[in-house]
Amino acid sequence: MHSFRLGKSVTAAISLLALSLFSTLLLPSAHANENWPALLAKNPSFFDFTISPDGKHLAAKIFSEGKRTLVFFDSATMQTVGAVSMGGFKEVGEYRWVNNERVVFQLVESKAWEKQPFYYGELFGVNIDGSRSQLLFGFQAGDAKGGSRLKVRESRNAWADFIDTELDKDDQILILSTPADKVGAKTAEILKMNVYTGQTIGQGKVPVSYANVLVDSDGKPRVVTGTNKKGETEVYIRSLASEEWQELPQQLFGSSFDPIAVAKDNKSLYVFDNQGQDKTGVFKLDLASGKYEAVYTDPLVDVTMVSRTADLRSVYGLRVDDGFPTYALLTSAFEEAKVFKKLLAAFPSEQVTITSSTNDGKKWLAAVSSDINPGTYYLYDHDKVSLTKLADRNPHLAGKTMAMMDPIKFPSFDGKEIHGYLTLTEQQSAAKPMVVLVHGGPHGVRDRWGYDSEVQLLAKSGYNVLQVNYRGSGGYGSDFLQAGHRQWGDAIQKDIIAGTEWAIAQGHGKAGNVCIMGGSFGGYSVVQAATLKPDLYRCGVAVAGIYDLALMSKLGDIPRLGYGKAYLQKVIGKDPAQLAAFSPVNRVDQLKAHLLIAHGRHDERAPMEHATALKKALDKAGKPYEWLEFTDETHGFYSETNQELYFTKVQQYLAQHLTK
């Protein structure tokens, strides 16, 4: 096994790859606008680049008039050969190549009063030249006639999810059809769908809600995982000799069981899991005997992701994030592993992801990024041993100097080691203004090394930026994750406060000249932490936050989930006294920090009632604040215009309240 670690001090290996620039259309303007809120809020120009199975064409998404559009290029000339732009409020969502001439994509749609589009279950098919475009699946896709098993675009009030596009027939894919209901808890059906006509053939129902289906090397559904009403993972295996789903005993696997791929020999299953250990690693499950074999576990952090072969049937590498990303190659038997090793050598201080490849393994498309690079796409030619730059994700930022992000760690109030990141502004001053940027979640989510437009906005505006992976964050093992349960308003906040005090002690900030900022759970933490340590923070920017924990069981999308009540019981509990104490709406009397409260009127995760309850409490206590309401946003910001407005407001707000 070979390991590759990223870092600022890594010496670049001598690459055998020749780099050649392509497409002068993607070069940045010589007269750049240094308005950072506008630059950093701007939508990417190119994203989700992939290559067709035969390598003759490329596909990428672009934003056109604020909507995601799919564009096709000739891979040899980079000339546009077709594009898909949906009318009205519809946009292109997740897409897949299904053969050399055709893609199928999820159709997403916004509303007149909401900027963010959502997926309502519909699938759309189109050829690369724009021909044979039609709705294939969904409640508007029905035709009048159909048979008993073979249906001609049957109208379905259901959500479709991709299962497998690697079937032997170029005109068929496997999808999962989940009947629509308010909680999404109905069991789904597996369908084989024709990508030109929308005809479907039923392949049977799955035995559990919120299902994820994996196929074997023959394209047959073999593994299903899902979540029951108790919030527990259920795992089902279908043997080669039987069409029946058999449930695996829950004691066989750990709390983080998540299937990756059925091995090419159809005898075993690669999974993420933490069975018998704290950290989540990669395991191999024998589908006949149930024997577990450990493949790789990092002693310090969970495995972040794996790299799968082009047919999605095997695993050749993985990544862990202990500070900087580290890559490990588990085998060199696959061609993908050899290519990936060369790409890592060519970009030693960046994150590398192979997004797609041709069926013959001769051409590969890679996405490269870092803390100072939002992303660049390259085409690797295996025969020529060469890389061609296709496009920058954000060409308007090319050539701009970005602030570097470095990993940090510190002891918390009880001695527990906490990790995070520190980004220093180039404009250091004696006043040491600092912003503590708190991530959302809180559970299973964490900050990672990489490009972050919000971090760059703050650093380019003259502020040091601290990010804390408090207890309850993902990536540091099951014990660390569970240590945050029912500690939203106490230990988690004390971790954030300890990180702030550590950064001040290190000379990166000054007490009373610090602002705390965050969205979702981060917005909650802004107010809660500032009431626990009133003299530490001068101001706070709270976005889309939860401010009254008692409301969480009554309002929003979490209680509507089939396992929502079980989740809330696990993470916040039912004790009225603790819920009240951990609700910042009840603690504003202790608040000294000035607040900027930003919220979307159509937020379903953190309904507007939370923000208005906080506003009412602040008014009653006579506490100062600013109010920023977005009438056309949900949980966060989708609109480029709104993102720029928010970034501009944050820049102005911090300049008003922090001393530089």
Side-chain angles (χ1 to χ4, degrees):
M1 183 176 68
H2 305 282
S3 181
F4 305 85
R5 182 175 294 272
L6 299 187
K8 298 293 189 299
S9 61
V10 175
T11 302
I14 298 176
S15 174
L16 299 177
L17 308 177
L19 276 168
S20 60
L21 276 179
F22 210 90
S23 182
T24 56
L25 289 174
L26 305 179
L27 293 176
S29 168
H31 303 287
N33 182 357
E34 298 299 342
N35 179 350
W36 284 108
L39 284 170
L40 294 169
K42 186 176 175 60
N43 288 327
S45 297
F46 297 91
F47 58 109
D48 288 356
F49 249 111
T50 59
I51 192 167
S52 64
D54 62 4
K56 294 181 180 179
H57 295 94
L58 302 169
K61 289 181 190 173
I62 65 170
F63 275 94
S64 176
E65 298 181 351
K67 298 199 313 178
R68 286 173 288 187
T69 298
L70 193 61
V71 181
F72 300 101
F73 304 92
D74 183 293
S75 62
T77 65
M78 284 303 291
Q79 296 297 310
T80 303
V81 297
V84 184
S85 181
M86 308 306 297
F89 296 103
K90 297 181 184 294
E91 299 182 32
V92 176
E94 180 184 347
Y95 76 93
R96 301 282 181 89
W97 286 97
V98 294
N99 55 42
N100 292 323
E101 69 170 3
R102 192 165 181 81
V103 299
V104 172
F105 60 85
Q106 295 180 343
L107 195 61
V108 297
E109 185 175 1
S110 60
K111 301 173 183 177
W113 58 89
E114 289 180 2
K115 292 296 185 183
Q116 183 173 358
F118 290 93
Y119 179 52
Y120 296 101
E122 296 178 301
L123 295 179
F124 198 93
V126 65
N127 286 356
I128 56 178
D129 61 0
S131 64
R132 303 192 70 174
S133 61
Q134 65 182 32
L135 188 64
L136 299 173
F137 182 96
F139 63 92
Q140 300 182 86
D143 278 353
K145 55 185 179 180
S148 58
R149 292 183 70 242
L150 182 64
K151 300 178 177 63
V152 182
R153 291 193 309 185
E154 178 185 13
S155 177
R156 291 176 181 266
N157 187 22
W159 271 261
D161 292 292
F162 295 112
I163 295 177
D164 187 60
T165 59
E166 300 290 326
L167 299 185
D168 290 338
K169 295 184 178 180
D170 284 344
D171 61 353
Q172 291 182 334
I173 62 173
L174 275 184
I175 62 171
L176 190 68
S177 171
T178 305
D181 67 0
K182 291 184 178 180
V183 299
K186 290 186 177 180
T187 53
E189 180 184 9
I190 300 172
L191 300 173
K192 187 177 290 186
M193 186 184 77
N194 185 289
V195 298
Y196 291 96
T197 67
Q199 294 174 331
T200 59
I201 302 174
Q203 305 292 295
K205 286 193 173 183
V206 297
V208 64
S209 300
Y210 305 104
N212 177 36
V213 180
L214 265 69
V215 299
D216 60 20
S217 61
D218 299 318
K220 296 179 179 179
R222 193 73 189 282
V223 180
V224 170
T225 60
T227 306
N228 61 27
K229 291 183 179 180
K230 297 180 180 179
E232 301 167 334
T233 298
E234 293 184 6
V235 182
Y236 295 83
I237 307 293
R238 187 155 67 180
S239 69
L240 293 175
S242 171
E243 293 297 313
E244 298 296 322
W245 292 103
Q246 301 294 325
E247 184 177 4
L248 290 182
Q250 290 193 0
Q251 60 266 29
L252 178 65
F253 51 87
S255 61
S256 63
F257 185 97
D258 188 16
I260 299 169
V262 177
K264 188 166 285 188
D265 61 7
N266 291 338
K267 295 180 180 179
S268 56
L269 171 70
Y270 290 101
V271 301
F272 293 113
D273 202 5
N274 62 347
Q275 173 65 9
Q277 59 190 41
D278 177 50
K279 303 297 187 293
T280 295
V282 177
F283 288 75
K284 199 173 184 180
L285 172 66
D286 188 297
L287 293 175
S289 67
K291 179 183 177 182
Y292 241 170
E293 176 187 354
V295 176
Y296 181 89
T297 298
D298 188 89
L300 300 176
V301 292
D302 297 337
V303 173
T304 301
M305 58 173 288
V306 297
S307 299
R308 296 187 292 175
T309 52
D311 60 8
L312 307 180
R313 307 294 189 248
S314 299
V315 176
Y316 66 85
L318 54 83
R319 168 182 155 181
V320 296
D321 287 85
D322 179 20
F324 296 117
T326 301
Y327 296 92
L329 294 180
L330 303 175
T331 176
S332 57
F334 300 109
E335 203 62 36
E336 289 92 336
K338 300 173 185 177
V339 172
F340 194 56
K341 186 175 181 179
K342 291 181 179 180
L343 291 172
L344 289 174
F347 304 102
S349 296
E350 301 198 68
Q351 299 174 122
V352 179
T353 303
I354 294 176
T355 70
S356 55
S357 64
T358 56
N359 283 341
D360 61 10
K362 293 184 178 181
K363 292 183 179 179
W364 308 74
L365 206 150
V368 177
S369 65
S370 71
D371 54 342
I372 58 175
N373 174 17
T376 307
Y377 293 97
Y378 293 91
L379 183 63
Y380 171 68
D381 189 307
H382 202 23
D383 287 342
K384 298 179 181 178
V385 195
S386 65
L387 277 170
T388 298
K389 180 179 176 180
L390 298 175
D392 287 313
R393 177 181 169 88
N394 296 69
H396 58 280
L397 294 177
K400 306 293 183 189
T401 301
M402 296 293 174
M404 291 185 175
M405 178 187 292
D406 286 303
I408 54 105
K409 59 183 177 181
F410 58 88
S412 192
F413 68 99
D414 58 357
K416 184 181 288 292
E417 187 173 76
I418 305 296
H419 295 254
Y421 294 90
L422 183 67
T423 304
L424 298 179
T425 179
E426 303 147 325
Q427 308 165 31
Q428 291 295 323
S429 72
K432 300 290 182 182
M434 183 173 73
V435 176
V436 181
L437 186 60
V438 186
H439 72 72
H443 305 298
V445 181
R446 59 161 288 186
D447 286 318
R448 287 190 171 86
W449 182 86
Y451 176 80
D452 187 309
S453 60
E454 208 162 22
V455 170
Q456 294 300 328
L457 171 76
L458 297 172
K460 299 306 291 186
S461 300
Y463 307 99
N464 294 332
V465 186
L466 173 70
Q467 296 170 277
V468 177
N469 282 326
Y470 45 75
R471 70 192 69 197
S473 301
Y476 298 93
S478 178
D479 291 345
F480 191 85
L481 178 72
Q482 294 179 32
H485 290 171
R486 304 190 187 186
Q487 290 294 316
W488 284 23
D490 188 34
I492 288 179
Q493 304 309 317
K494 290 178 179 177
D495 288 344
I496 296 168
I497 291 167
T500 307
E501 293 174 336
W502 172 87
I504 290 171
Q506 298 297 311
H508 304 306
K510 285 191 175 182
N513 199 31
V514 180
C515 189
I516 183 169
M517 175 175 165
S520 194
F521 180 82
Y524 162 86
S525 295
V526 165
V527 191
Q528 185 72 1
T531 63
L532 290 174
K533 204 74 171 178
D535 295 318
L536 188 59
Y537 303 104
R538 183 182 291 182
C539 59
V541 180
V543 183
I546 294 286
Y547 306 116
D548 186 346
L549 298 191
L551 291 178
M552 290 193 70
S553 62
K554 305 172 185 177
L555 300 174
D557 59 357
I558 295 178
R560 296 200 296 265
L561 295 172
Y563 57 86
K565 291 182 180 179
Y567 172 78
L568 291 175
Q569 168 67 13
K570 179 172 67 174
V571 300
I572 64 173
K574 291 184 177 180
D575 180 3
Q578 187 181 71
L579 292 177
F582 286 1
S583 296
V585 71
N586 300 321
R587 300 179 53 84
V588 295
D589 286 341
Q590 284 80 39
L591 190 68
K592 292 185 179 180
H594 189 286
L595 295 181
L596 169 61
I597 305 166
H599 218 97
R601 183 177 293 178
H602 302 285
D603 195 333
E604 286 291 315
R605 180 55 50 90
M608 192 70 190
E609 286 86 345
H610 284 275
T612 54
L614 178 62
K615 182 177 184 290
K616 183 178 179 180
L618 291 169
D619 286 337
K620 183 178 180 180
K623 300 293 182 177
Y625 64 91
E626 289 190 49
W627 182 261
L628 187 59
E629 181 178 337
F630 292 86
T631 60
D632 54 0
E633 291 287 6
T634 55
H635 195 57
F637 307 104
Y638 179 82
S639 162
E640 180 182 297
T641 301
N642 288 341
Q643 184 73 65
E644 181 181 347
L645 188 157
Y646 169 68
F647 278 178
T648 301
K649 181 61 181 176
V650 166
Q651 193 179 58
Q652 294 170 347
Y653 180 81
L654 295 177
Q656 179 183 351
H657 291 278
L658 294 183
T659 302
K660 288 189 183 179

